[in-house]
């Protein structure tokens, strides 16, 4: 099958079918685990505070993603406002939680995609797409008419309905998904999503079923596959051991993982003592060791910038999200 796959879905009518089905779901919104049941076609708003039109904060070539996504020319990133999660430590809280951005028509969103392609970006990177997925698909259809041919990166916080992700089979080539929590206690306390682990695990399994292990071209640019991001939180709050065991046993030891050290106590995190500092060197090293214990060697770790050697030491927040290849041998 040729890629990006949405070109075939556009030709054979499947993309139109998914657009129709998901817009129908917006009438009593049930496109994410919240199932708010508001009529977003009539511009009613539920948890995500988004009606019919998608809200966009910015779009640009982004050079701070994982190496095969950013490449040399950047990832064509569209940052959507609002979210179906409510993470108290979100580094993008100005637009994810506070709603900065502008309502955008489907045609304008399609034009953003085409502009990013004209800028030479390697892909179209949809950041926080879950709550506006039907609208994105409508815009994608318009962009295809305009000549779009870049692969789509579905860059998700991972709070997804597996049955909705299943509809994207044949449309999305690259999934970049968080696995943020292993336990309901942390998920509800810090992201208002008690059922996150259950939905997250099933959704990520479906993503892997669709696109499999990362495949790159001759230049090292990703064309297809799943990358799982795991943000290491202080005091083991993200449940790294359970998540790595799940990936190893339920998905594949070949899975590419981006192990992230960049946690910074943004937004409301200072209100929670256990979240009010960066992770320590020891905590991050322990997370790496756990990952390797379960036979997971594909992917990337972040540099040590900003990590603290001793727990309880607060530092000035950093916005660095640079990802560097792991300095370990791949298992193959």
């Amino acid at each position: 099958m040729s890629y990006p796959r949405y070109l075939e879905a556009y030709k054979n009518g499947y993309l139109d079918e998914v657009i129709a089905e998901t817009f129908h779901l917006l009438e009593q919104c049930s496109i994410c685990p919240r199932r708010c049941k508001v009529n977003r076609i009539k511009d009613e708003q539920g948890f995500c505070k988004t009606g019919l039109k998608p809200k966009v904060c910015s779009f640009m070539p982004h050079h701070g993603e994982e190496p095969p996504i950013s490449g040399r020319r950047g990832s064509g990133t569209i940052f959507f406002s609002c979210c179906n999660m409510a993470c108290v430590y979100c580094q993008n809280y100005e637009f994810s939680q506070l709603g900065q951005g502008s309502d955008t028509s489907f045609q304008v969103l399609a034009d953003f995609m085409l502009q990013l392609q004209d800028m030479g970006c390697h892909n179209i990177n949809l950041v926080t797409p879950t709550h506006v997925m039907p609208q994105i698909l409508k815009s994608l259809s318009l962009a295809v008419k305009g000549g779009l041919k870049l692969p789509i990166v579905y860059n998700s916080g991972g709070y997804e309905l597996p049955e909705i992700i299943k509809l994207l089979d044949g449309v999305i080539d690259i999934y970049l998904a968080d696995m943020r929590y292993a336990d309901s206690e942390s998920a509800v306390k810090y992201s208002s999503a008690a059922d996150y682990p259950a939905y997250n695990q099933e959704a990520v399994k479906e993503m892997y079923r669709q696109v499999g292990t990362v495949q790159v071209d001759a230049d090292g640019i990703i064309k297809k596959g799943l990358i799982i991001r795991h943000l290491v939180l202080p005091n083991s709050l993200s449940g790294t051991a359970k998540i790595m065991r799940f990936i190893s046993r339920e998905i594949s030891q070949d899975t590419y993982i981006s192990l992230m050290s960049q946690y910074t106590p943004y937004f409301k995190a200072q209100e929670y003592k256990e979240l009010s500092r960066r992770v320590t060197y020891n905590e991050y090293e322990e997370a790496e060791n756990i990952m390797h214990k379960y036979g997971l060697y594909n992917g990337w770790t972040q540099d040590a910038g900003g990590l603290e050697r001793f727990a309880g030491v607060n530092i000035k927040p950093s916005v660095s999200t640079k990802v560097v290849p792991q300095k370990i041998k791949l298992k193959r």
Side-chain angles (χ1 to χ4, degrees), residues 34-106:
R34 301 282 178 192
R35 293 186 173 95
C36 294
K37 300 296 183 182
V38 298
N39 190 337
R40 292 176 60 191
I41 299 296
K42 294 184 178 180
D43 224 29
E44 295 176 4
Q45 299 180 6
F47 187 92
C48 70
K49 300 177 183 177
T50 306
L52 177 60
K53 288 185 177 181
K55 197 172 186 179
V56 174
C57 177
S58 63
F59 71 103
M60 63 182 176
H62 187 22
H63 297 274
E65 303 283 35
E66 286 73 9
I69 295 177
S70 289
R72 292 184 299 104
R73 301 194 302 272
S75 177
T77 304
I78 302 173
F79 291 93
F80 292 96
S81 303
C82 305
C83 186
N84 72 332
M85 297 180 71
C87 301
V88 298
Y89 50 81
C90 183
Q91 68 177 15
N92 298 325
Y93 67 91
E94 292 95 340
F95 57 89
S96 69
Q97 306 297 323
L98 303 182
Q100 291 183 7
S102 301
D103 288 344
T104 305
S105 72
F106 305 145

Side-chain angles (χ1 to χ4, degrees), residues 305-319:
L307 295 175
E308 285 294 330
R309 289 190 180 278
F310 304 101
V313 179
N314 291 324
I315 62 169
K316 185 178 180 179
S318 167
V319 296

Side-chain angles (χ1 to χ4, degrees), residues 190-305:
Y190 307 123
S191 296
S192 299
D195 51 5
Y196 178 93
Y199 282 114
N200 177 244
Q201 291 176 12
E202 291 305 309
V204 171
K205 285 171 67 174
E206 172 59 22
M207 292 173 185
Y208 187 80
R209 185 194 69 79
Q210 292 179 23
V211 298
T213 303
V214 167
Q215 297 178 19
V216 298
D217 63 16
D219 296 320
I221 303 301
I222 187 171
K223 293 302 179 184
K224 180 187 177 186
L226 167 69
I227 296 174
I228 294 174
R229 281 177 169 170
H230 180 64
L231 178 66
V232 181
L233 295 176
N235 297 300
S236 301
L237 294 173
S238 46
T240 300
K242 290 182 179 179
I243 287 174
M244 296 304 162
R245 182 169 64 244
F246 171 83
I247 295 170
S248 177
R249 296 178 179 178
E250 300 292 329
I251 300 180
S252 170
Q253 288 187 346
D254 293 328
T255 303
Y256 278 67
I257 298 173
S258 181
L259 190 70
M260 305 173 79
S261 67
Q262 70 192 56
Y263 172 77
T264 303
Y266 284 109
F267 196 32
K268 300 178 181 179
Q270 293 290 347
E271 299 174 13
Y272 301 81
K273 182 179 179 180
E274 66 274 22
L275 284 177
S276 62
R277 62 169 174 83
R278 293 292 300 265
V279 297
T280 66
Y281 282 96
N282 289 342
E283 286 172 326
Y284 190 69
E285 183 178 39
E286 180 184 4
E288 284 189 81
N289 290 337
I290 290 170
M291 183 172 66
H292 300 157
K293 171 187 173 181
Y294 286 105
L296 300 164
Y297 288 92
N298 285 341
W300 308 269
T301 57
Q302 288 185 309
D303 59 29

